Amino acid sequence: MAAPLFENLPFENLYWSQMETLPREQMRVLQLERLKKTVDKVRNLPMYREFFEKTKLTGDDIHSLDDVRKLPFTTKKDLLDQYPFGHLLIPRHEIVRIHGSSGTKSKPTLTAYTKNDLVTWADLTARFLYAGGLRSNHLVQIAFGYGLFTGGFGLHYGIERIGAGILPSAAGNTPRQIMFLQDLRTDCLIATPSYAMNIAETVRDMGIKPDELPLKFAHFGAEAWTDEMRKTIEQLLGIKAYNNYGLSEIMGPSVSGECYKQDGMHIQEDCFLVECLHPETLEPVAEGEPGEIVITNLQKEATSLLRYRTRDIATITSQPCECGRTTTRMSRIVGRSDDMVVIRGVNLFPSQIEEALLRVPGATPHYLIQVTRPGSMDEVTVQVEIQPDYFSDKMSEMEQLRSKILHEIQIVTGLRVKLELQAPQTMQRFQGKAKRLEDLRDLYK
Ligand code: DLL
């Protein structure tokens, strides 16, 4: 695997922005100042008006960052009720870009950007790309969709800001992606982790060895992935893979990203006030405890949200990182509160199944979890694709593999599930965000 890239870089070359190493106290002062301004900016929006008329609260009533708890939450439903742009803070003609969430079940939630917002956004993505090794001499292949989705354009302008080269290959046509990786000697790959896995397996199946690919590192995001998945992709492609997180409602990729230590994602606290709350009580959880990530925009002009409930579950730490950045870090997203299914009283996230599967040689991260309720009891069925070398027509070998996988799933989740082993190359591959969970129970009947 490629050696850590930056251990020998001079100190002053490690950071893109002075915001990354601001002393904690100064950061808090900056956040407070920006929070007050945000409150005054948004208090007349239709979705917050009733609250602010009732409480008479203004920015001047926010005396400390803890006072964020005086403010109302915002949910996806609030934004959909305002569709398309009841939450716009600027005159329409000042919009220079619009993006949105994928919105498979409903209309998309839309986000707008002013000229300044695009400058801020490019700077924020540049920061974590730089922290994970991107320099102006690199060539980057962006295998994200370009479009309403914030991934393609969001990363694109951060890379341009750094001055690196871009091949906007977009998602799809995996053999052509690999041809470009080889022919153009791409240094860095940008993709969803599931699409990266797809590319990595195709590389392996084509008989290309990791050290034959010039690729050095990658920045993945937009969906949950486990450390096991990271290791698998890193080994297959011979790279270091970094995680970054964000959401379109707030800005897009930008909220946080990993540095070369790969030890949690640095939150860009000058632009986002992040809380980690118990998803039911909405009280702060202790540091290190998993909670819902709730975000307030501190530095966005066109749209700015108060306490947006992301439904993403992670832990937060304020322990200093060895890289020298002073920002708080968040763990990878372990699940979504709305993707969490409760099975016979046990909370289950798809990522736990992925973790268990990838501990067993022979299993792949191509899986689907189906939850049903045939009678009065919930049942979980996991379909998982088996690696070609391990797929056998000998019953005893397959049974052995089955029991190993079932055992790991029970250790990680505490649940007994049904397991269906699938032949190689039979399960759906994804080019964007993967769909891993189907809840077929009709819980509201
Ligand atoms: O996925 C923004 C993004 C693009 C982030 C590219 C990183 C890279 P949306 O389409 O609005 O925006 O989806 C946001 O995706 O609430 C999470 O559930 C999930 N998500 C984003 N990044 C990660 C990550 C973009 N690193 C939703 N790990 C969020 C886990 C992620 N989940």
Side-chain angles (χ1 to χ4, degrees), residues 45 63 86 94 106 139 145 150 180 198 201 228 259 272 343 374 377 387 411 419 424 428 437 444:
L45 284 177
H63 303 295
E94 284 180 27
S106 58
L139 177 67
T150 47
F180 283 138
N198 197 340
E201 285 184 336
E228 283 73 12
C259 67
F272 310 102
I343 308 294
M377 289 287 271
Q387 283 177 16
I411 289 179
L419 185 66
Q428 187 181 355
L437 178 74
Y444 303 102

Side-chain angles (χ1 to χ4, degrees), residues 100-102 144 149-151 155 220-225 243-249 252-254 265 310 312 332-333 336 433:
S101 66
S102 36
F144 262 150
F149 175 55
T150 47
L155 275 297
F220 300 142
E223 64 181 5
W225 54 313
N243 194 5
N244 72 87
Y245 168 80
L247 57 161
S248 50
E249 290 86 348
S254 59
M265 296 184 279
T310 65
D312 294 319
R332 68 180 175 83
I333 304 294
R336 286 182 53 82
K433 301 187 191 226

Side-chain angles (χ1 to χ4, degrees), residues 158-175:
I159 297 165
E160 254 186 29
R161 178 67 59 82
I162 289 177
I166 299 175
L167 177 75
S169 59
N173 199 339
T174 309

Side-chain angles (χ1 to χ4, degrees), residues 3 8 60 104 110 116 160 181 187 218 243 258 266 340 360 368 393 443:
N8 302 323
D60 285 341
T104 41
L110 297 179
N116 285 338
E160 254 186 29
L181 288 177
D187 300 287
N243 194 5
E258 279 181 337
H266 290 272
M340 184 185 86
V360 183
L368 178 69
D393 46 16
L443 290 180

Side-chain angles (χ1 to χ4, degrees), residues 304-350:
S304 254
L305 302 182
L306 298 178
R307 308 188 86 193
Y308 185 67
R309 291 196 57 187
T310 65
R311 312 282 169 185
D312 294 319
I313 309 286
T315 61
I316 284 196
T317 175
S318 57
Q319 291 300 314
C321 179
E322 279 178 38
C323 74
R325 285 176 184 75
T326 51
T327 42
T328 308
R329 282 169 294 152
M330 57 189 264
S331 68
R332 68 180 175 83
I333 304 294
V334 295
R336 286 182 53 82
S337 58
D338 51 5
D339 238 16
M340 184 185 86
V341 279
V342 183
I343 308 294
R344 289 164 260 159
V346 177
N347 297 349
L348 174 73
F349 290 113

